[in-house]
Every structure is written in structure tokens, then in C-alpha cells.
Amino acid sequence: MSDVTRILSAIEQGDPHAADQLLPIVYDELRKLAAQKMAQESPGQTLQATGLVHEAYLRLVDVDKAQRWNSRGHFFAAAAEAMRRILIDRAREKSALKRGGDRKRLPLEEVDPPGGTPPEDLLAFDEALEQLTHLDATAGQLVKLRYFAGLSVEQAAATLNLATATAYRHWTFARAWLHSQVAGRPDFAG
């Protein structure tokens, strides 16, 4: 049993000191996952990995909505979902017309377009991911863990309690299905 799972179990059993032990352990792991995700984003982001972790953690420990996690995997799946929603919300904000969503930023020095995911593509991807999740919930969760939490297929399989071969089948299906949904859109640049 991992430290996180043990602490989550202690919290569930009512140990008031267990919550104090959770943050230092989880924070470092969430910070690494957020840093991996933010490295994939386009340059010029105002949100940094630390901000993403803090915002996600605040959503996870919202005292108005008492949440309980069954395991380490359940907690990190919730964290991946929180990070995904934060990034999607930011993409929607950037695409809003009142925030200049119809304008294209140009780099100060006339360089080729930088890598990363433009907000329009992230929104198209999120819409397709929601459809996939309704079609196949396991494949949707796997994509969220892989794309937004930065887990490998093996790590995501362990988190979802799947056999690795089963996770690879879901991953192959999800990638092909998402590509067919997103690549054909006229507003998709990828």
C-alpha cells in the first residue's frame, strides 16, 4: 500500500492528522505532472505549473464539497480531471471574443509558429474527449490520465485497475477515435 493510499485510508477512518500528511506527498507528484503538462502548452502561458497544481488542489480539497478517495489512483484521477478542466476553462477564456479570441498573437521576433496546443484545438479535443467518455468511459479516463496527468499507459492501467494489455487496447482505440473526430474539423490545426 502506497503512502498516499494509506493516508487516504486514514482520512476516511477519521484521523484528523492524516490530512496534514497528504499535502507534502501529493504536492510533489502533482507538481511533476503539472510541469509535464505545461511543457506541452504553447509558449506565453500566464498559468504556470505551480499555479495549475494550486488551483487543482483547491478544487480537490474544497471544504464545501467533502470528497473521499478510495485509493491513490482515484485521487490522481480526480487531480487529472481537475487539471483538465482548468486548462479547458483557460482555453475557453482565451478564445472568448471579449478577450481578443479572434486575434492571433505574433511573436516579438518573427519566428516560425511555436509548438504547443492552440486553445481552439484544445477545445475541439475536449469536445471529442467528452463524446469518447460517453461512448467508452474507460477509454475516456485513460486518455485523461495519459494526456492531462502525463501518466504512461502502464501507470494509467494501474490507476484504473486494468491489465496493461487491456489498457493498450483502450489507448489504441481512443487515439484512433479521437483522431477521426478532431482531425476532420475545419478549425483544427493539428
Side-chain angles (χ1 to χ4, degrees):
M1 180 180 284
S2 75
D3 288 341
V4 174
T5 305
R6 182 181 50 76
I7 293 169
L8 290 171
S9 176
I11 290 171
E12 190 172 329
Q13 294 173 3
D15 182 353
H17 302 291
D20 296 335
Q21 298 170 2
L22 180 63
L23 181 59
I25 296 171
V26 173
Y27 183 84
D28 289 338
E29 290 185 56
L30 290 177
R31 177 75 172 82
K32 289 175 189 173
L33 295 173
Q36 290 173 351
K37 179 59 193 150
M38 293 307 297
Q40 298 171 358
E41 293 295 310
S42 55
Q45 292 289 330
T46 55
L47 181 66
Q48 296 179 358
T50 301
L52 181 59
V53 169
H54 290 182
E55 215 170 311
Y57 192 79
L58 286 174
R59 289 184 183 193
L60 291 171
V61 296
D62 184 359
V63 292
D64 295 334
K65 302 174 191 171
Q67 299 178 20
R68 296 192 181 263
W69 296 283
N70 306 358
S71 66
R72 178 184 188 280
H74 187 205
F75 179 82
F76 280 98
E81 179 68 17
M83 287 184 194
R84 179 183 76 87
R85 289 178 187 216
I86 290 165
L87 291 172
I88 295 302
D89 290 346
R90 301 282 275 194
R92 283 190 180 117
E93 287 173 8
K94 283 187 174 191
S95 293
L97 289 178
K98 73 179 188 179
R99 290 189 174 78
D102 59 341
R103 296 184 187 150
K104 299 291 181 194
R105 284 189 182 206
L106 295 175
L108 189 54
E109 55 291 320
E110 294 294 322
V111 181
D112 290 333
T117 306
E120 314 78 55
D121 292 354
L122 190 57
L123 292 174
F125 176 75
D126 183 60
E127 184 180 313
L129 181 56
E130 289 297 323
Q131 292 173 1
L132 172 65
T133 303
H134 290 297
L135 179 68
D136 183 342
T138 303
Q141 282 297 104
L142 186 67
V143 170
K144 290 173 187 176
L145 290 171
R146 295 269 298 129
Y147 186 79
F148 292 100
L151 299 181
S152 68
V153 173
E154 292 81 8
Q155 292 168 327
T159 299
L160 296 173
N161 292 324
L162 295 174
T164 304
T166 302
Y168 272 105
R169 280 194 301 276
H170 281 286
W171 177 243
T172 301
F173 164 72
R175 284 180 40 212
W177 192 89
L178 287 169
H179 180 72
S180 72
Q181 295 299 306
V182 176
R185 294 175 59 115
D187 60 340
F188 185 70

